[in-house]
Structures are given as structure tokens and as C-alpha cells.
Amino acid sequence: MIDNSPPAAAVDGPSGQDMPLPIASTPHQASPAPGTRVQTVAAHGVGYQAENQHFYGGDFVRQQLVQPADLVACSDDLFIMPRDAESWQTAQSLLKDHGVVILCAPEGTGRRTAALRLLTTAGSRPLPLTLVDLEPEWSKPDTTKLPASAGHGYVLDLSDVPQRPGPGFGQGLRKYGSDGTEDARYLVVLTTPDEWQGAWSEETRHITVAHSSPDAQPLVRQELRLLGAEERTTWLDQDAYKDIWSSNPPVQEARRLTHIVYQAKTNDHSVVDEFLGWTTHINNLLTPKQGPGEPELISTRATIWAGALLDGGRKRSVLHAADALLKRLDLPRDPKNVLADPTSSHRLKAASLTPQGDRSFHPVDKHDLASAILRHLWEEFPTQRKLLRSWAVSVAAHPDVPEDDARIAVYTLLELSKELHDNDIIDSIGSELVGRRLSLAVEALTSAALDPALGKYVRGRLYRWMLPKEPSPAIVDLVTRICGGELATHQPSIAMTRLARAAVHAPFLSAPMVDAFRHLAQINQAEVTKALQVWLAEEPVKRHGLVAFLSLAATDEGAQLLLGMTNSSAGRQRFASAWQQLLQDDASRNAVDEQLDKWGSKVENGVLPSAQLIDLMADVYEPKVHRTSLRRFFAKDPDFQDSFWGEVLEQAIIRSREREKASAE
């Protein structure tokens, strides 16, 4: 039987664009030579993940160097302190004294900038800390997976964990922090009030700080100056902005205001109206005066919302989306009811949608109005978000909606997910779009996985979707295609770990898996080789390793990679063992025999090297235990003996006799 358990962790030198990480040379720790294999380091008796560990499966925490551009806002002359000065001072003291502090606040409040500022001013070392973002790839938070290098400052975002931590996690964080203070190693954890609840949070109460945003007005002024628009800072002193400053919006909203001011064509009321989400206009839209012959209120609202989801889409698609929402609200939309309603043109006009040819738009003089309408819908009806997500994705998935309109809906939803931190939208796209529009789901989620704001959440979802014992074949197919496409080009090691998870559930020689490994072998052969060496070294080889091996064998690029791994005795043994294990299992044998037949034909045609493969395949078939797979040698062809497989059989027999003779002696 093939082992279907999840990929095991492996320790190796890092590679890929997200790695490597330099290790600061300090009296406590010297930088290892390139390629050095480093096992788990011991930090005062506790095992933590080493700085340059790299995993091709299993739970671990990926490390991303903080980029210089991210530190600009943390500099002495630009950093704006959070409005709660006392809490900020507490956070500084906690990090210095305990080695770890937890900043608890909603997303969009400037937590990461605050974390980086804390780390740049932590400790008393003569050299600055090496700052690293941590991106967990784990089924459940575990402090033993955290890196622990001296002279490093880490940022760990736990705003969206796959499974709530166990009761010992909080204690583990405290221990990790106290161990790190002696090595000038610091950790700032980011989380939200909704997420940081449970037994583990009680253990960390004394190192948890309620983070606050900086004041909005000085932040907007500074952002405008950095954009080269200092002359527009005077706009901010006008009476129209007073209510904004009174509400003191958080960082994300302050930066949104900055860009509205920066992009505005004129200094008029539209700047503030747009920042406030066109609230007055939207409220008027949603509560029109009802006269004789007018569409019902709920029908008009549905058309307004559908027009926002499909802004610039075909009128027919907008009406379809509106009717789909009405159906979900149990309002009849059979032909009788539709024909008894106001005409399509009347419905669009009542929703203030402007036709342009066969397409419809919300008023273009109100910048970003369509997005504002959807934000308003999500924020004003929070108890209906599940219904709204399902409706919106179903519109994109429906065959009556053309592909380009479906694309408008999907990318609109991704933008909404980014603005409102609604990661459930990503789940809905993954689960509900794949059945109808797989290629669009792959395109959109690949784009999102590489997006600076959404990326880590989407990459986390790709990993998480593969954790259940039996994910749907459609989800496995989706993750495989994403990881074998552009994600592999830009983040090969990230793609590889998720592909390993998908391979646990994939059938042997599935076309998407074969294509994924072909692409990876073409663009980053070294990454594939490292991963495969790890997977094939397990005894026995687990399913994901065998699926990867056979998928590579099914392509010319992959076959050359596999043959290139047999130059060492260990590589040769792994090659033979993988084939032998595949041949023995009923689940894989037919696919393997089919692939070996193709290899035989490629040898005969000169595509694959004859002598090398005769030598290697003789090792595969020589042991008696594998005689159950010898039926390919029972050929009626009189020329069989001179064929590739005939020569393999001859060499296998010779080696078997030599081994028996050696055993007898």
C-alpha cells in the first residue's frame, strides 16, 4: 500500500525568490557555508526551526526578508507614533524585557509598520537586527516551528490561523521570547481581537497590547508629501474635512484618503464624498421614491447591487445577476413574473445605471462608485455576507454570463476581499467557481496569490485547502494548476510545498499534475531536484513523492531530470526503489506499466538513452520480489530479445544470478 500521509518536513539549504536569508554573523553564530545542511537549533534547551531550514512539505514557517521600501515609514523622521502613547510605550518595554510582544488590533490599523518600528529600535546591539516576515505553512500554530537566529527580528501575523492553537501555544510564545532576549532575537506577533481568544491568549495576556492607529491627519499630510503633492496638504485644513479628522480613521482609510486627494482633478466636495463612500448618493439610490409602475424596492436594490458587481458588464448579465439574487431571496422569477415586471430598460434606469451600447455603468462622474456600493452592501448587511458571497460567485460561474463579464465579477470580488479583509470571499471563489470556470479561477487566484496585499492570505488558503483528508477533486485540480503556473515562476518553493500537498490527493498521471511538474522542471530544475531528493529518501516513499516521480517520468523534461539524479549511488537507489514501489501497488501499477511502455518506445526511437536506461531498469526488475511485474517480458515477438526490454531482462537475470551466487558464498 502507498502511504497517503501528508508530506514530511525536510531540512535543506533554501532556494527560490523568497529565500535565501542571510544569517547575521555574530559572536553567537557564524554564517554557514552555502548549501550547508543545518538541523534544528537549540535555543537554551528548546528546539526551534533553524534559520535556513527549507521544507518541501510538512508544517514549517517560511521566512521573507523585509524589503528596504517597507522600512521607510519606520524611520526616525517619518514614523508617526500610535495615538495611544501609553500603550505604545508598553509595547516597547514588553518587547525589550520579554523578547516578544503581541499587537492586537483590527487589520488595516498599521500593525506591521508598528511591528517593524518596534524591531528597529529593540535591543542595544551595535548592528541593526535582520528583519524577517514569517509566513506560516502549518496546519496548527506551533512555536517549535519558529526560526530562532540571534540578531534577528521577526514579524508573525496570526490574524488568520487555520486552526485555533492548543492551550500550550501561549506558554510556548512566552518561552520563545524569554529564550531570545539573551541572543538579541525578538518577535512581534500581529493578531485581531476576534482571533486572539482562548486558553492560549490567557497565557499571553501580560505581553499583549491593544494597538492603535496613528492620528489620521498627520499621516495623510506626510503621505501626500512623499507622493510629491505637498501643495494639496492645504486642502486638508478645509471645513469639509473636519468630520473626517474627528472620526480619526485608521491607517488603511487614511491612506485611501491620501490617494483620493492625490488623484483628484479638482478640489471640490467630491473628494470627501468619495472617501465617505458616496454614502448620501448610495442611500438615495437604495431608497427611491416609489411611484406607480416603478419596480419594487427590493428589485431596484438587487439591480443596483448587480450593476456594482458587474460595472461595465453587459446589461443582460446585470439583469441576470439581479434576478439570481431575487431568487435567492425566494422572490419568484419565472417568465410570468418577469414579464409582469417593468421592462429591462426601466429596471436599469430605476437603478441609475447608464447604458453604453450593450453595457451598463454606474455614474462615471463618481469615481469608484461601484466599489463603494459593494462595500456599503457588505458593511450594512453583515449578517447576510454568506448569502452575498455565494450569490456573487454564482453569477461569475453561471454559463449564461459571458466570460469577460464573469472576469469583471471575480476581480471585483477580489478587490472587495482586499478592502474589507473578507478572506471568506477567496474560499467562495475557490469552492464555487472551479466547477464552471476553472481557468478563470486559476487566473484570478494566481493573480491574488502574487498580490502584495492579498498574497499571503491566498497562499495560505492554497495550503489550507489541501489539509482535509479528502478535499474535492476540483479543489485539488485548482491548487495543482495554480502551483504549476505563474506561482511556480515567481515563487517556486511556495508552489512546491502546496503541490506536494495536492499530490497526496491526486490520481497517478493526472494531466494537471503532469503539466505542473513539466513547467517546474522547465523553469527551476534545481528546486524540483531538491524536493524530489527529500521525498524519495523516505522509507517507504509516500504518495506525494510517487505522484511527483511518475508525473516527471511522463514528460521529456522530467525524464531527463530523473536520469540526472542517478549519478550517485544514493540517487540510483532512490530511482529504482520508486519504480519498484509503484509497480507493486495495485493503485499505480497500470499507470506505471503504461508509462514504462512509453519509455521503451522513446529508447527505441533514440529520445532516451538506451545504455543508461537498460542499466537502471535492470536494477528495478532484478530482485525476485518484483517478479510480479515481469509480465512485460513475456513477449511473443521473436525480436524481443534484441529489443530494449529484452536487454533489460537479460541484465536483470545476470544480476540476479550474481547476487544469488554472492549470497551462497
Side-chain angles (χ1 to χ4, degrees), residues 209-221:
V209 174
H211 171 68
S212 60
S213 281
D215 287 323
Q217 189 173 10
L219 178 59
V220 175
R221 289 184 186 280

PDB file of all heavy atoms in Angstrom, residues 209-221:
ATOM      1  N   VAL A 209      -0.753  43.854  23.789  1.00  0.00           N
ATOM      2  CA  VAL A 209      -1.049  45.285  23.800  1.00  0.00           C
ATOM      3  C   VAL A 209      -2.122  45.580  22.759  1.00  0.00           C
ATOM      4  O   VAL A 209      -2.049  45.082  21.632  1.00  0.00           O
ATOM      5  CB  VAL A 209       0.218  46.113  23.495  1.00  0.00           C
ATOM      6  CG1 VAL A 209      -0.122  47.589  23.366  1.00  0.00           C
ATOM      7  CG2 VAL A 209       1.264  45.906  24.579  1.00  0.00           C
ATOM      8  N   ALA A 210      -3.097  46.376  23.148  1.00  0.00           N
ATOM      9  CA  ALA A 210      -4.114  46.837  22.193  1.00  0.00           C
ATOM     10  C   ALA A 210      -3.496  47.958  21.357  1.00  0.00           C
ATOM     11  O   ALA A 210      -3.296  49.069  21.845  1.00  0.00           O
ATOM     12  CB  ALA A 210      -5.352  47.317  22.929  1.00  0.00           C
ATOM     13  N   HIS A 211      -3.199  47.634  20.106  1.00  0.00           N
ATOM     14  CA  HIS A 211      -2.543  48.609  19.227  1.00  0.00           C
ATOM     15  C   HIS A 211      -3.553  49.626  18.707  1.00  0.00           C
ATOM     16  O   HIS A 211      -4.724  49.312  18.478  1.00  0.00           O
ATOM     17  CB  HIS A 211      -1.899  47.869  18.051  1.00  0.00           C
ATOM     18  CG  HIS A 211      -1.388  48.770  16.977  1.00  0.00           C
ATOM     19  ND1 HIS A 211      -0.315  49.612  17.152  1.00  0.00           N
ATOM     20  CD2 HIS A 211      -1.831  48.987  15.706  1.00  0.00           C
ATOM     21  CE1 HIS A 211      -0.096  50.289  16.049  1.00  0.00           C
ATOM     22  NE2 HIS A 211      -1.001  49.931  15.156  1.00  0.00           N
ATOM     23  N   SER A 212      -3.089  50.840  18.493  1.00  0.00           N
ATOM     24  CA  SER A 212      -3.942  51.895  17.931  1.00  0.00           C
ATOM     25  C   SER A 212      -3.264  52.506  16.715  1.00  0.00           C
ATOM     26  O   SER A 212      -2.035  52.561  16.630  1.00  0.00           O
ATOM     27  CB  SER A 212      -4.208  52.985  18.975  1.00  0.00           C
ATOM     28  OG  SER A 212      -2.986  53.573  19.391  1.00  0.00           O
ATOM     29  N   SER A 213      -4.067  52.982  15.780  1.00  0.00           N
ATOM     30  CA  SER A 213      -3.536  53.676  14.607  1.00  0.00           C
ATOM     31  C   SER A 213      -2.938  55.022  15.003  1.00  0.00           C
ATOM     32  O   SER A 213      -3.317  55.603  16.022  1.00  0.00           O
ATOM     33  CB  SER A 213      -4.648  53.921  13.586  1.00  0.00           C
ATOM     34  OG  SER A 213      -4.938  52.771  12.847  1.00  0.00           O
ATOM     35  N   PRO A 214      -2.029  55.540  14.197  1.00  0.00           N
ATOM     36  CA  PRO A 214      -1.606  56.930  14.403  1.00  0.00           C
ATOM     37  C   PRO A 214      -2.743  57.866  14.010  1.00  0.00           C
ATOM     38  O   PRO A 214      -3.693  57.466  13.339  1.00  0.00           O
ATOM     39  CB  PRO A 214      -0.409  57.067  13.457  1.00  0.00           C
ATOM     40  CG  PRO A 214      -0.637  56.047  12.405  1.00  0.00           C
ATOM     41  CD  PRO A 214      -1.321  54.893  13.083  1.00  0.00           C
ATOM     42  N   ASP A 215      -2.663  59.098  14.446  1.00  0.00           N
ATOM     43  CA  ASP A 215      -3.675  60.075  14.048  1.00  0.00           C
ATOM     44  C   ASP A 215      -3.680  60.209  12.526  1.00  0.00           C
ATOM     45  O   ASP A 215      -2.629  60.230  11.877  1.00  0.00           O
ATOM     46  CB  ASP A 215      -3.385  61.425  14.694  1.00  0.00           C
ATOM     47  CG  ASP A 215      -3.707  61.417  16.182  1.00  0.00           C
ATOM     48  OD1 ASP A 215      -4.698  60.770  16.567  1.00  0.00           O
ATOM     49  OD2 ASP A 215      -2.961  62.039  16.956  1.00  0.00           O
ATOM     50  N   ALA A 216      -4.882  60.325  11.983  1.00  0.00           N
ATOM     51  CA  ALA A 216      -5.036  60.279  10.530  1.00  0.00           C
ATOM     52  C   ALA A 216      -4.495  61.522   9.826  1.00  0.00           C
ATOM     53  O   ALA A 216      -3.851  61.425   8.774  1.00  0.00           O
ATOM     54  CB  ALA A 216      -6.506  60.078  10.179  1.00  0.00           C
ATOM     55  N   GLN A 217      -4.754  62.705  10.389  1.00  0.00           N
ATOM     56  CA  GLN A 217      -4.402  63.932   9.669  1.00  0.00           C
ATOM     57  C   GLN A 217      -2.899  64.056   9.414  1.00  0.00           C
ATOM     58  O   GLN A 217      -2.492  64.300   8.267  1.00  0.00           O
ATOM     59  CB  GLN A 217      -4.925  65.162  10.404  1.00  0.00           C
ATOM     60  CG  GLN A 217      -4.762  66.437   9.581  1.00  0.00           C
ATOM     61  CD  GLN A 217      -5.438  67.636  10.226  1.00  0.00           C
ATOM     62  OE1 GLN A 217      -5.878  67.576  11.367  1.00  0.00           O
ATOM     63  NE2 GLN A 217      -5.546  68.729   9.496  1.00  0.00           N
ATOM     64  N   PRO A 218      -2.029  63.905  10.416  1.00  0.00           N
ATOM     65  CA  PRO A 218      -0.596  63.986  10.104  1.00  0.00           C
ATOM     66  C   PRO A 218      -0.133  62.884   9.163  1.00  0.00           C
ATOM     67  O   PRO A 218       0.786  63.092   8.372  1.00  0.00           O
ATOM     68  CB  PRO A 218       0.072  63.875  11.475  1.00  0.00           C
ATOM     69  CG  PRO A 218      -0.952  63.297  12.382  1.00  0.00           C
ATOM     70  CD  PRO A 218      -2.269  63.755  11.868  1.00  0.00           C
ATOM     71  N   LEU A 219      -0.776  61.717   9.219  1.00  0.00           N
ATOM     72  CA  LEU A 219      -0.396  60.631   8.314  1.00  0.00           C
ATOM     73  C   LEU A 219      -0.725  60.990   6.869  1.00  0.00           C
ATOM     74  O   LEU A 219       0.098  60.791   5.966  1.00  0.00           O
ATOM     75  CB  LEU A 219      -1.117  59.340   8.715  1.00  0.00           C
ATOM     76  CG  LEU A 219      -0.863  58.126   7.818  1.00  0.00           C
ATOM     77  CD1 LEU A 219       0.625  57.783   7.775  1.00  0.00           C
ATOM     78  CD2 LEU A 219      -1.665  56.925   8.298  1.00  0.00           C
ATOM     79  N   VAL A 220      -1.912  61.548   6.632  1.00  0.00           N
ATOM     80  CA  VAL A 220      -2.294  61.931   5.271  1.00  0.00           C
ATOM     81  C   VAL A 220      -1.370  63.035   4.755  1.00  0.00           C
ATOM     82  O   VAL A 220      -0.934  63.004   3.597  1.00  0.00           O
ATOM     83  CB  VAL A 220      -3.768  62.380   5.225  1.00  0.00           C
ATOM     84  CG1 VAL A 220      -4.123  62.887   3.825  1.00  0.00           C
ATOM     85  CG2 VAL A 220      -4.690  61.226   5.612  1.00  0.00           C
ATOM     86  N   ARG A 221      -1.044  63.999   5.602  1.00  0.00           N
ATOM     87  CA  ARG A 221      -0.130  65.072   5.186  1.00  0.00           C
ATOM     88  C   ARG A 221       1.222  64.485   4.761  1.00  0.00           C
ATOM     89  O   ARG A 221       1.779  64.861   3.722  1.00  0.00           O
ATOM     90  CB  ARG A 221       0.084  66.060   6.336  1.00  0.00           C
ATOM     91  CG  ARG A 221      -1.106  66.931   6.651  1.00  0.00           C
ATOM     92  CD  ARG A 221      -0.776  67.947   7.737  1.00  0.00           C
ATOM     93  NE  ARG A 221      -1.953  68.693   8.145  1.00  0.00           N
ATOM     94  CZ  ARG A 221      -2.464  69.725   7.467  1.00  0.00           C
ATOM     95  NH1 ARG A 221      -1.866  70.142   6.365  1.00  0.00           N
ATOM     96  NH2 ARG A 221      -3.544  70.342   7.907  1.00  0.00           N
TER      97      ARG A 221
END
